[in-house]
Amino acid sequence: LAKTTQPISMDSYEGQEVNITCSHNNIATNDYITWYQQFPSQGPRFIIQGYKTKVTNEVASLFIPADRKSSTLSLPRVSLSDTAVYYCLVGPRGTYKYIFGTGTRLKVLA
Amino acid sequence: SAVISQKPSRDICQRGTSLTIQCQVDSQVTMMFWYRQQPGQSLTLIATANQGSEATYESGFVIDKFPISRPNLTFSTLTVSNMSPEDSSIYLCSVKDNEQFFGPGTRLTVL
């Protein structure tokens, strides 16, 4: 399964748009890109999944360039409650065997 | 979406003892998984538990240390045996529906 690389941490202010980029140079043809969010003392929670171009839901947008070697999670107008660790995962749809990387620790400041 | 509960939510145990963690899901699922999250670290898959068969363990994890039961499609247990302080972690149960859902975790501290 493709290994991912993300920034270890990011700071942002309330109301700003936050973009977290993930690098996955060895992504396979049948791999999807999935993002999870984890709050302290909770299990990870699914945010969004995509294969190519752009996916948007009520929580976030996921941008995937044509070569699919990276992806960007975009969180619009973050609030303090968005402070969490965000994990980028790559694997075939339906896979359970995700390799969790270090994740990105996002801190939203007032 | 699947709702997962775990018991206990946290425990403090003595070295050399064992602890069994329970995972209950509100719907029938084929695959259940156990992860470990060491302090300040990411998640590591311990094993996959399928009903009616032996659990499948990932590299670095063995059945003698982490025996798993899966008696039906909504329940599983993970036992952490002969504990040492290095076993202090959060243990998370997970299931695969259309997405993958995680339980709240069990925070284990071994003294």
Side-chain angles (χ1 to χ4, degrees):
Chain A
L1 295 173
K3 183 179 177 180
T4 60
T5 304
Q6 307 172 231
I8 296 294
S9 65
M10 294 178 68
D11 288 348
S12 182
Y13 289 94
E14 279 192 295
Q16 289 188 332
E17 177 184 76
V18 171
N19 295 308
I20 305 174
T21 298
C22 179
S23 172
H24 29 79
N25 291 316
N26 297 322
I27 190 168
T29 304
N30 59 341
D31 284 345
Y32 281 72
I33 300 151
T34 309
W35 285 80
Y36 279 81
Q37 174 191 56
Q38 186 178 27
F39 298 113
S41 301
Q42 294 186 27
R45 181 177 72 112
F46 174 91
I47 301 177
I48 197 166
Q49 183 181 72
Y51 184 82
K52 62 180 180 180
T53 60
K54 177 183 175 182
V55 179
T56 298
N57 62 22
E58 65 277 5
V59 177
S61 294
L62 178 60
F63 298 93
I64 306 167
D67 67 3
R68 303 199 328 120
K69 293 183 183 299
S70 67
S71 59
T72 300
L73 175 73
S74 181
L75 304 172
R77 298 180 298 282
V78 294
S79 64
L80 295 175
S81 62
D82 292 316
T83 294
V85 179
Y86 292 82
Y87 292 99
C88 165
L89 301 160
V90 174
R93 179 171 254 176
T95 188
Y96 62 89
K97 218 163 184 175
Y98 286 132
I99 298 173
F100 277 79
T102 57
T104 298
R105 192 171 299 272
L106 172 67
K107 186 174 183 180
V108 180
L109 307 169
Chain B
S1 64
V3 177
I4 304 170
S5 59
Q6 290 185 228
K7 289 182 182 180
S9 58
R10 58 178 61 224
D11 206 342
I12 301 173
C13 301
Q14 295 296 321
R15 180 196 299 261
T17 63
S18 298
L19 175 72
T20 295
I21 302 167
Q22 300 178 7
C23 175
Q24 180 75 52
V25 189
D26 69 342
S27 59
Q28 294 185 339
V29 292
T30 303
M31 303 178 84
M32 295 179 77
F33 316 99
W34 288 96
Y35 285 81
R36 179 175 74 182
Q37 187 170 29
Q38 295 176 300
Q41 303 296 312
S42 185
L43 284 79
T44 302
L45 179 63
I46 298 172
T48 303
N50 293 328
Q51 195 261 341
S53 64
E54 292 245 339
T56 303
Y57 289 83
E58 297 300 308
S59 175
F61 298 96
V62 294
I63 187 171
D64 289 347
K65 177 67 175 177
F66 297 102
I68 288 171
S69 79
R70 182 78 200 275
N72 57 54
L73 292 174
T74 63
F75 187 79
S76 177
T77 67
L78 169 76
T79 299
V80 186
S81 304
N82 188 24
M83 289 184 285
S84 66
E86 292 71 36
D87 294 319
S88 296
S89 289
I90 298 173
Y91 291 86
L92 297 120
C93 173
S94 175
V95 303
K96 190 87 173 83
D97 198 340
N98 287 322
E99 304 160 6
Q100 188 154 355
F101 298 93
F102 290 83
T106 295
R107 184 179 294 272
L108 171 61
T109 302
V110 184
L111 303 177

